[in-house]
Amino acid sequence: KKTRELIITMADPKSLIDTLSQQVQASDIDGGKGTLTKLKIWMLEISGPNATQESITLAATALELGVLLSVVDEDLDAFARNLSQLKPYYAALSSFASSPATDRKCHVLGLNLMHLLVDNRLSEFHAELELLTENEANTPYVSFPITLERQLMVGSYDEVLNAGSHVPDPSYGFFMDNLLETVRDSIADCVEVAYKSMKLTDAVTMMKFESTEELEEYINEKREDWIVEGGMLTFQPPPAGSKAVDIPSMNLIAQSLSYATELERIV
């Protein structure tokens, strides 16, 4: 009896996909998970060598929406699972003579590259690039993470920080937030070596915070040895009785960024 009810429920996957799409757009995470589960059960029924191009395309579309739903939910484990389940359907579609790409394929490929970049899985990142067609690589969804990776490799952290304001889709914001934190940590490492102290307002600008309050929150969470006093930020309190010594701050920053970049290339 349950099987019969399930078959009736799964009779119209297109309708379920439309529902899932609406739930993703509305950030209805619980509802979306329920709909996705039903679609995955339907996928079990259509799997096998006799699956049609239409059914494979529908299954791929459902899993693409599952990937987007996991981003809304900020669930990286679900993101990885849905992507892993999706790839065989992409491979199956490529075996058909005339198989247009699904509407969200480049969007999903771009999000996957963002995920690999944030996790610093650069070998996997470049392996994925090798699988892209020229047209896919040139879409805004995919070219965005490719450009980010190049900027990171040459130490153009300022450009990476600015990139957060022009992502190709809001779904990229989750990964950009994580990437920006990593870049800010790198800048902080360089700044505390290059400077003894600086104005709070200068540090806010350099690290691309929107306010001194955001900077102070960052310091409390990650840089407890930094001292905030009188609108100034001190990184290394000078020893008692010592004289102030000028240091080539900008040169040290450039060297530190260069060292960090070279280390990333070696790794």
Side-chain angles (χ1 to χ4, degrees):
K1 188 175 182 181
K2 289 183 179 180
T3 302
R4 181 176 177 79
E5 291 175 355
L6 182 61
I7 292 173
I8 294 173
T9 302
M10 303 312 299
D12 190 3
K14 292 181 181 179
S15 177
L16 284 171
I17 287 173
D18 289 341
T19 299
L20 180 56
S21 178
Q22 294 169 8
Q23 290 166 329
V24 170
Q25 292 176 11
S27 299
D28 181 3
I29 295 170
D30 291 336
K33 287 180 179 178
T35 304
L36 183 60
T37 297
K38 294 177 182 178
L39 282 163
K40 286 186 177 182
I41 294 173
W42 167 74
M43 290 177 208
L44 294 175
E45 297 180 2
I46 57 97
S47 61
N50 296 324
T52 64
Q53 181 176 343
E54 181 183 15
S55 64
I56 294 173
T57 301
L58 288 173
T61 300
L63 288 169
E64 288 171 340
L65 288 168
V67 169
L68 297 181
L69 181 67
S70 64
V71 173
V72 175
D73 194 25
E74 298 185 358
D75 186 343
L76 290 179
D77 290 336
F79 178 91
R81 283 197 305 273
N82 287 318
L83 190 65
S84 177
Q85 294 166 1
L86 174 58
K87 286 185 176 182
Y89 287 100
Y90 281 160
L93 285 174
S94 66
S95 66
F96 290 99
S98 58
S99 177
T102 56
D103 294 338
R104 300 177 182 85
K105 182 178 181 181
C106 289
H107 188 173
V108 168
L109 293 176
L111 289 174
N112 182 41
L113 291 174
M114 290 295 296
H115 181 211
L116 296 175
L117 194 58
V118 169
D119 278 1
N120 201 31
R121 292 153 59 185
L122 297 184
S123 60
E124 294 177 59
F125 181 94
H126 289 284
E128 289 293 328
L129 293 186
E130 294 297 323
L131 301 176
L132 297 172
T133 66
E134 184 177 354
N135 288 337
E136 290 169 345
N138 288 331
T139 62
Y141 291 118
V142 177
S143 63
F144 181 80
I146 292 175
T147 301
L148 277 182
E149 191 266 346
R150 290 172 181 165
Q151 291 168 342
L152 286 170
M153 288 300 98
V154 299
S156 300
Y157 293 146
D158 195 57
E159 293 182 26
V160 175
L161 290 173
N162 289 328
S165 61
H166 52 270
V167 293
D169 185 84
S171 58
Y172 283 61
F174 169 58
F175 294 106
M176 278 303 301
D177 288 344
N178 286 282
L179 185 61
L180 293 180
E181 281 301 307
T182 300
V183 170
R184 282 191 177 116
D185 289 343
S186 296
I187 293 175
D189 290 340
C190 295
V191 166
E192 66 182 6
V193 171
Y195 290 89
K196 288 184 177 180
S197 64
M198 68 165 47
K199 292 180 181 179
L200 273 177
T201 52
D202 291 341
V204 167
T205 300
M206 186 174 291
M207 300 180 68
K208 289 293 184 291
F209 285 110
E210 294 185 1
S211 66
T212 55
E213 288 76 18
E214 284 188 4
L215 173 59
E216 290 175 356
E217 183 179 346
Y218 172 84
I219 293 170
N220 290 333
E221 290 180 358
K222 297 190 174 184
R223 304 283 167 168
E224 293 182 353
D225 57 328
W226 289 8
I227 299 172
V228 179
E229 188 175 11
M232 294 295 294
L233 187 57
T234 303
F235 306 107
Q236 300 169 7
S242 65
K243 295 182 179 180
V245 178
D246 292 331
I247 60 174
S249 301
M250 297 311 297
N251 288 341
L252 280 175
I253 286 181
Q255 290 176 9
S256 298
L257 292 176
S258 176
Y259 294 155
T261 300
E262 289 303 320
L263 284 173
E264 286 188 14
R265 285 175 177 167
I266 293 171
V267 173

